[in-house]
Amino acid sequence: MNTRGPADKGLRLYPFRGLRYVPERVGSLAAVTSPPYDVVVRPDGLLHLESADPHNIVRLILPQADSPAARPEQAAATLQRWLAEGILAADSEPALYVYEQRNDEILQRGLVGALALSGPAEGIVLPHEDVMAHVVEDRADLMRTTAAHLEPLLLTYRSDGDATGATAVIERTIQGPPLLATTTEDGFSHRLWAVTDPTDRTEIERDLAGRQALIADGHHRWATYLRLQREHTVPGPWDFGLVLLVDTARYPLRVRSIHRLLHGLPVRDALAALDGLFRVRTVEGPLPRALDALAAAASEGNAFLLAGDGAFHLADRPDETLLARTVPADRPAAWRTLDATVLHSALLDHVWRIPDDPARIAYIHDTAAAVEQAERHDSTAVLMHPVREEVVRDLARQGVTMPRKSTSFGPKPATGLVLRSLALG
C-alpha cells in the first residue's frame, strides 16, 4: 500500500487484508461482536459482552487488567493468541469491503477500507466535535501496542443520490453471496462482501476523488490515527486509518443525542440551582412521553430533560442574561444556540460548576440506561434532543467544532466483523 503525493485530493480508500473471525472457531458471529467501545455501558454492558463468548471483541477494545498501563499489553497478548489459535485469520488478498446493516426501520450500506490520512488540513475529512486528551491517549496506547485498528470510524459523504460510482459498485456487489451474515441481539442484520475486482476499485476511486467526508462517529479514533501517523516519520501502514464510508444521500443515517450523567449531583440540587435561570416543570412519563415533551420544547429553543429521582423535569427558556455572560460570543450563531453549547458553557461551567472530567460526567448513548444509572446512584441524567445533520455538516464546513459528544450518528458499525492489522500493511 503506497500513499500518493500531496497533489492528490479527495478521499482515497485503499484495500487491505481484513482480519476476521473464523466462524467454525467461535460460538456465533453475533456473540463475538460489540458496539463501539464508547457505546458500551460499563460495567453492565461490558460484563454482558464478556460473558456472551470468551472471544468477544470487547476483550480487545476494552481490555480489563489490574492497571490502566497493563490493559493495552493484555489486548495485544489476547490478539496474538487468537491469531495463533486460528480464532481470527487474515483474508487471502486485499479488499475493500461492502458492509450492510438493516433492521425493520433502516438500511445502511457503505465501504470499509483503509483511508489515506494525508490531506485532512485541506478540509477533506471534516471533524465536528472536540476530543478529550485522555481518551486519545488511551486509544493511542491500544492501537500502538496491538498494532491494529480494531474498529472502523464512521465517515459520511453526500453524492447526487444516483446509483453511480461507489454506489453502483456496492449495489452490484450485494447481488453475490456475502462473506458473512449475522443478526445481533439489537435486531440488526449484518452482511459483508469483498470487493477485489480492479475495475470496481477504479470506479470507486474516481467517484471519491474530490469528495469531502464528515466524521459521523469516531472523533477520538480519528485524532488517534493522526497522532500515531505523526509518530511514524517513515511512510507505512500508519498513514492509513480503518473507516466505514457511507453516502448519506443514498443511505441516510439517524442522528441521536448523547446524554450526560452527572455523578454526585442529585436531581433536587440540580433543580434548585436552576431556579430563576430556566423555566422548570415536571412532565409526565413514561420515558417516551417525556421525550416527546422535550422534542416539543426543543423546537422552540434550548431545552433539557432531567431525570434520576423517579420523575422527569423539563428545563427550557433559559435566561438571556445567563446566556450572554456564559456563552462565548466569537462563534457562529448556529454554534452559540446548540443545546450542547448551552449545557456546557452555561449549566456545567457556571450553574452546576461540574468539571468535564470522567469522575464527574459520563457520556451515555442509551437513554433508558442514562435514567436507570442516575436513579441507581442518586445522580442527575441530562437528556438531550438530537441535532439535525445539516447543522452539523454546515458547522464542520466552517471549521467550527461542536462541544464534545454532541451527536450520535447511527446505526454504528458492529465492532468485530473486520479488523485491520498494521503488520499486514
Side-chain angles (χ1 to χ4, degrees), residues 25 64 67 91 96 110 115-116 162-163 229 267 269 276 298 322 334 338 354-355 379 399 407-408:
R25 299 302 311 275
Q64 302 302 295
S67 68
D91 286 335
L96 297 175
L115 184 76
D162 52 0
Q229 183 192 34
V267 173
D269 294 342
L322 170 69
L338 289 169
I354 296 178
S379 298
T407 60
S408 176

Side-chain angles (χ1 to χ4, degrees), residues 153-296:
L153 57 84
L154 177 60
L155 299 181
T156 71
Y157 72 99
R158 293 190 67 82
S159 71
D160 294 330
D162 52 0
T164 61
T167 297
V169 174
I170 288 171
E171 296 187 0
R172 286 198 303 268
T173 301
I174 63 169
Q175 302 306 313
L179 295 174
L180 63 85
T182 190
T183 300
T184 46
E185 63 181 8
D186 59 3
F188 272 95
S189 66
H190 307 261
R191 297 195 292 174
L192 193 76
W193 295 260
V195 177
T196 57
D197 184 270
T199 302
D200 287 339
R201 297 215 303 252
T202 298
E203 189 171 355
I204 292 169
E205 178 181 345
R206 288 173 177 166
D207 184 27
L208 297 182
R211 294 198 184 278
Q212 288 181 321
L214 176 73
I215 300 177
D217 185 68
H219 283 79
H220 290 91
R221 278 163 280 170
W222 177 254
T224 303
Y225 289 166
L226 298 181
R227 173 174 175 167
L228 295 176
Q229 183 192 34
R230 290 193 297 269
E231 292 180 3
H232 295 79
T233 57
V234 177
W238 298 97
D239 292 321
F240 304 84
L242 183 63
V243 305
L244 167 63
L245 184 62
V246 174
D247 174 9
T248 55
R250 193 74 175 178
Y251 300 106
L253 274 67
R254 295 178 304 205
V255 186
R256 292 181 171 173
S257 297
I258 303 175
H259 310 295
R260 276 64 170 163
L261 177 65
L262 309 182
H263 299 299
L265 179 67
V267 173
R268 59 185 177 277
D269 294 342
L271 295 175
L274 295 181
D275 186 38
L277 300 176
F278 277 71
R279 181 178 72 167
V280 179
R281 52 206 164 103
T282 300
V283 296
E284 293 186 9
L287 179 57
R289 185 171 181 177
L291 291 173
D292 287 342
L294 172 63

Side-chain angles (χ1 to χ4, degrees), residues 28-36 48-49 52 56-57 99-104 180-191 254 411-417:
S28 74
L29 288 175
V32 295
T33 65
S34 165
H48 172 71
L49 291 165
N56 188 283
I57 194 69
Y99 174 51
E100 177 190 273
Q101 291 168 275
R102 181 197 293 267
N103 68 4
D104 294 336
L180 63 85
T182 190
T183 300
T184 46
E185 63 181 8
D186 59 3
F188 272 95
S189 66
H190 307 261
R191 297 195 292 174
R254 295 178 304 205
K412 303 179 189 301
T415 298
L417 296 181

Side-chain angles (χ1 to χ4, degrees), residues 130 327-336 341 395 398-403:
D130 292 331
V327 176
D330 59 348
R331 301 286 185 92
W335 181 90
R336 297 197 307 271
T341 298
L395 285 172
Q398 296 177 57
V400 177
T401 55
M402 299 167 66

Side-chain angles (χ1 to χ4, degrees), residues 34-46 49 58 61-62 135 139 151-152 154 186 216-218 220-221 256-258 363-367 369-370 373 405 407-415:
S34 165
Y37 77 95
D38 59 333
V39 181
V40 176
V41 178
R42 286 163 271 189
D44 297 355
L46 181 63
L49 291 165
V58 78
I61 63 172
L62 290 172
V135 178
R139 293 295 101 184
E151 49 189 333
L154 177 60
D186 59 3
D217 185 68
H220 290 91
R221 278 163 280 170
R256 292 181 171 173
S257 297
I258 303 175
Y363 294 86
I364 299 179
H365 293 71
D366 185 88
T367 310
Q373 290 204 31
K405 299 296 183 182
T407 60
S408 176
F409 284 80
K412 303 179 189 301
T415 298

Side-chain angles (χ1 to χ4, degrees), residues 131-141 220 356-358 404:
V131 297
M132 293 174 273
H134 74 278
V135 178
V136 175
E137 180 68 32
D138 175 75
R139 293 295 101 184
D141 287 344
H220 290 91
D356 195 355
D357 181 276
R404 61 180 62 100

